[in-house]
Amino acid sequence: MDDYRRIADRIAADITGGRLRPGQRLPPQRAFARRHGIAPSTAGRVYAELVRRGLVVGEVGRGTFVRATAPDGQPGIALTEAAGAPLVNLELNYPSVPGQAELLAPALASLLRPDALGQALRPAPAAGTPAAREAVAALLAHSGLRTGPERILFTGNARQAIAATLAALVRPGGRVGVEPLTYPLVKEIAARLGLVLVPLATDVEGPLPEAVAAAHRSAPLSALYLQPALHNPTSRTIGAGRLRELADCVHRLGTPVVEDRIWAFLDTGGTPPLAALAPGLVHLVDSLSKRVAPGLTVGFAVVPDDRVEAVARAVRSGGWSAGSFALEAAVRWLGDGTVERLVAAKRKDARRRQRLVAEKLAGFAVRSDPAAYFAWWELPAPWRADTFTAAARTHGIAVTPGTAFCVDPSRTPDAVRLGLGSVSEARLGHALETLAGVARGGRV
């Protein structure tokens, strides 16, 4: 084994063993070389190897730091855990409201009859059931998208619906235009499918149509992946004017779009989905997990007429079909008004939590929408995303560093995303106070 790899192994052991902690700065490469009696070029190879393994992150002019995320690149998994009190997890974002289980239970009672249960435990095709298609079509009509039920396909969750649509649209090596900050699991899906993500220039309104056209001219884009409503992590919603411009742009280019509407149910502004403006090109993806509960969920995709079979094949080949029991439960919850009641409760809950953010983080640069279940915090100097994430961990709080969302690794934002939906309001308020104290440089 090469000498530089043996040295890298020792440093890696110090990191995974907790002797070097997340956020800790490594010495400059020349100092490291002197300490270990090696050439500066060898030290450079050691640091490059540690970067390759995902153990450290380096930025020109700032140094090399132990990452606050795990070596496998998954956001939010610390290399060392905080001791003491249980972790306050502001990475996960599974909103739940008081009385949720009591609302969900009655509709399931009829499924426990032997005849109904036997039917609900059978495999479901990608097209689901006629009742499920009708129920989802009615749900989507409330958001301004009127679609034929035959265009609706079902998966186990929204991530699977995104993977299936991208797999059906883009061959390995194909280019997919995305916002510069995007859903981290889309980065993982792209890596597994062998797709190239191309960050598109944006402004405060969202992706610029001219940036889409320019990216397509440099080398054809096989698809776009966009989050027009309550974008994760910034919570920005694209206005109706920009949506029309984007629809015109993709029509001119003939470029298909995967539109992620996972959080759109919280938006009461009435902006129509992009799929309503370009139904022949847009593949709309949504699910019930955020509306209802993450443990028993259904993902679905509304696809153009001529793409139904291609996406259905991708669902089948990926093993991503929804379970019949989940479909039957979803039909009942949609039909008896349970989903509507949960959505109304979660909209109120999200606004209360955003008021906590505004109160506890007053004076900081926080981007959020009053309707969203997350906030994007642009950290004050001299904090970096990784070092702040590590510092938050020492206080028993988990946040997601901005690097998890960044498509271009050379442009890492000094920001963190705060998920607001998975802890009680009391714990959220205390955690925000603690984080504000950390950001100001003191302990709370």
Side-chain angles (χ1 to χ4, degrees):
M1 182 183 292
D2 294 336
D3 287 344
Y4 82 92
R5 287 186 178 145
R6 283 197 292 269
I7 298 171
D9 288 342
R10 293 201 296 270
I11 303 302
D14 287 342
I15 293 172
T16 56
R19 292 178 292 278
L20 288 173
R21 297 181 63 81
Q24 188 170 337
R25 187 183 185 194
L26 298 185
Q29 290 183 21
R30 288 189 177 277
F32 183 90
R34 288 195 300 271
R35 182 179 304 173
H36 291 270
I38 57 178
S41 60
T42 303
R45 296 181 74 184
V46 171
Y47 278 39
E49 176 66 12
L50 293 171
V51 170
R52 187 190 68 79
R53 297 184 193 184
L55 292 168
V56 302
V57 59
E59 294 185 26
V60 176
R62 304 180 83 171
T64 301
F65 298 82
V66 177
R67 287 184 61 89
T69 49
D72 64 2
Q74 294 300 311
I77 304 174
L79 296 173
T80 58
E81 296 292 342
L87 196 69
V88 179
N89 198 325
L90 304 186
E91 297 172 318
L92 299 178
N93 219 2
Y94 297 132
S96 178
V97 292
Q100 181 166 299
E102 289 77 8
L103 275 174
L104 294 172
L108 298 182
S110 62
L111 276 178
L112 300 182
R113 298 196 317 266
D115 58 332
L117 187 60
Q119 183 67 29
L121 294 179
R122 294 179 179 178
T129 64
R133 293 195 296 273
E134 292 288 350
V136 168
L139 174 70
L140 293 170
H142 292 300
S143 67
L145 178 64
R146 300 192 179 277
T147 183
E150 68 281 354
R151 293 176 54 203
I152 301 172
L153 299 171
F154 294 91
T155 58
N157 54 48
R159 295 187 296 274
Q160 294 172 350
I162 293 169
T165 51
L166 286 175
L169 286 169
V170 189
R171 294 180 178 179
R175 287 160 43 91
V176 179
V178 296
E179 289 138 314
L181 298 171
T182 195
Y183 181 33
L185 282 176
V186 167
K187 295 163 60 176
E188 182 181 333
I189 290 168
R192 291 184 176 182
L193 295 177
L195 313 183
V196 178
L197 297 184
V198 180
L200 304 169
T202 63
D203 61 13
V204 292
E205 293 189 66
L208 295 163
E210 55 267 33
V212 176
H216 189 71
R217 282 196 301 271
S218 65
L221 295 173
S222 299
L224 303 179
Y225 167 81
L226 302 176
Q227 303 172 73
L230 295 179
H231 170 264
N232 182 13
T234 66
S235 78
R236 177 225 63 229
T237 294
I238 301 176
R242 176 61 57 85
L243 277 178
R244 286 192 293 272
E245 293 172 359
L246 286 169
D248 291 342
C249 178
V250 297
H251 270 303
R252 289 195 305 273
L253 301 175
T255 304
V257 181
V258 178
E259 179 182 12
D260 186 338
R261 296 273 297 178
I262 305 306
W263 291 105
F265 72 95
L266 294 169
D267 177 27
T268 58
T271 303
L274 184 60
L277 303 175
L281 288 168
V282 177
H283 302 59
L284 182 146
V285 170
D286 203 342
S287 85
L288 295 183
S289 65
K290 308 301 185 185
R291 291 178 174 89
V292 181
L296 184 64
T297 185
V298 173
F300 48 90
V302 182
V303 303
D305 290 322
D306 61 348
R307 301 297 303 173
V308 172
E309 182 51 37
V311 177
R313 283 198 303 270
V315 171
R316 292 191 294 267
S317 64
W320 295 321
S321 298
S324 290
F325 190 91
L327 285 175
E328 292 296 334
V331 168
R332 285 160 172 77
W333 288 328
L334 287 165
D336 69 3
T338 296
V339 172
E340 186 178 354
R341 288 190 287 273
L342 284 173
V343 165
K346 290 182 179 181
R347 284 174 174 171
K348 293 178 181 177
D349 183 58
R351 289 182 178 274
R352 287 196 304 270
R353 291 166 185 265
Q354 286 289 350
R355 287 195 288 271
L356 277 177
V357 173
E359 174 192 343
K360 305 298 184 182
L361 300 183
F364 291 105
V366 179
R367 296 167 59 187
S368 62
D369 186 289
Y373 264 116
F374 42 85
W376 181 247
W377 187 0
E378 296 171 346
L379 299 167
W383 285 110
R384 301 172 62 256
D386 272 8
T387 54
F388 185 82
T389 302
R393 281 271 177 175
T394 67
H395 290 263
I397 304 169
V399 300
T400 308
T403 49
F405 301 91
C406 194
V407 177
D408 183 350
S410 69
R411 303 186 66 181
T412 55
D414 290 327
V416 295
R417 192 203 70 169
L418 307 175
L420 311 179
S422 294
V423 299
S424 69
E425 288 184 54
R427 294 191 83 194
L428 175 62
H430 179 70
L432 293 172
E433 286 182 357
T434 301
L435 292 174
V438 171
R440 293 188 181 101
R443 299 179 70 89
V444 176

